[in-house]
Structures are given as C-alpha cells and as structure tokens.
Amino acid sequence: QVQLQESGPGLVKPSQTLSLTCTVSGGSITTEYHYWTWIRQPPGKGLEWIGYIAYSGGTYYSPSLESRTSIFRDTSENQFTLQLTSVTPEDTAVYYCARGDITTVESTSLSDFDYWGQGIQVTVSS
C-alpha cells in the first residue's frame, strides 16, 4: 500500500518561500510511469493543480505558477519537495501531494489520482 505524507511549516510570511515535502512509503518515486504531483485547495475554492516531478525526474508546472514553482526530489529518502517563492495570502491553501500518471496532468480532482496524502494547511500571513 502506497502512502504519502506532507510535511512543512503551517505558517509562512508574505514574500518568503513556501517549502513542503512529501514522503512516500510503499513504493519508489522512480518506478515507471508515475507522476508525483502537488495540488492545492484555497479556502472556499476548488482544487488547483500545481505541477509534478515524474519517475524520470522530469518536471512540468502549471503555467500560472511556473515562474514561482520548483519541484525536486531526493531519491535516497523517497521524497519530493515543492518550493513556491514570493508567496502572498493568495497562496493560503490546503496542499496535497499525490501519485498520478500521464492522464492526471492538470487534473483538479483528487479521485483521479491513485494515492494522495491527507493534506497540510499552509497559511500565508504576517
């Protein structure tokens, strides 16, 4: 059984960098053909797809967030990390990590993914 667990600070100040890590157990992040994905849900809004790092190490980000987003991985720890720079209160959301594939690129429904974490609340506030 694959499990994903998000971790990171729950409060970030405006203009700082948000950094969240997803730890995966029960499966390797290098196994074909999975796409390890970050998604978020702002309060009162729908899910927003952020980006992925693929089994190969390739990445792809939402065009609306691309200039501020970076996703990288640590294969020795079986983790992947989201960094979002220059955050504003608009980045306040519950952030989820999930395992998908080529069919879940830009998906905005958690049920489209094989597995996902419980989510972590991140608030951007001074």
Side-chain angles (χ1 to χ4, degrees):
Q1 179 78 2
V2 175
Q3 293 184 316
L4 294 87
Q5 179 67 57
E6 304 90 349
S7 61
L11 179 65
V12 183
K13 295 185 186 302
S15 80
Q16 291 188 341
T17 296
L18 179 161
S19 184
L20 297 174
T21 295
C22 184
T23 300
V24 179
S25 60
S28 172
I29 62 172
T30 61
T31 300
E32 297 176 339
Y33 293 97
H34 300 308
Y35 287 30
W36 302 93
T37 304
W38 286 98
I39 310 152
R40 69 182 183 181
Q41 185 164 26
K45 298 183 180 181
L47 287 169
E48 180 179 18
W49 187 88
I50 300 171
Y52 71 73
I53 184 163
Y55 63 96
S56 61
T59 56
Y60 176 68
Y61 308 126
S62 168
S64 65
L65 296 169
E66 183 175 14
S67 63
R68 300 193 292 127
T69 304
S70 178
I71 300 175
F72 54 90
R73 66 183 183 177
D74 183 338
T75 56
S76 66
E77 296 291 336
N78 215 38
Q79 297 175 330
F80 61 105
T81 297
L82 167 71
Q83 286 193 339
L84 187 65
T85 63
S86 304
V87 296
T88 72
E90 296 294 309
D91 294 308
T92 294
V94 177
Y95 285 75
Y96 298 91
C97 57
R99 191 185 85 172
D101 56 32
I102 189 65
T103 68
T104 58
V105 176
E106 299 185 343
S107 174
T108 56
S109 175
L110 275 178
S111 61
D112 289 343
F113 295 87
D114 297 334
Y115 300 96
W116 57 90
Q118 63 183 20
I120 183 170
Q121 172 70 49
V122 177
T123 300
V124 178
S125 175
S126 55

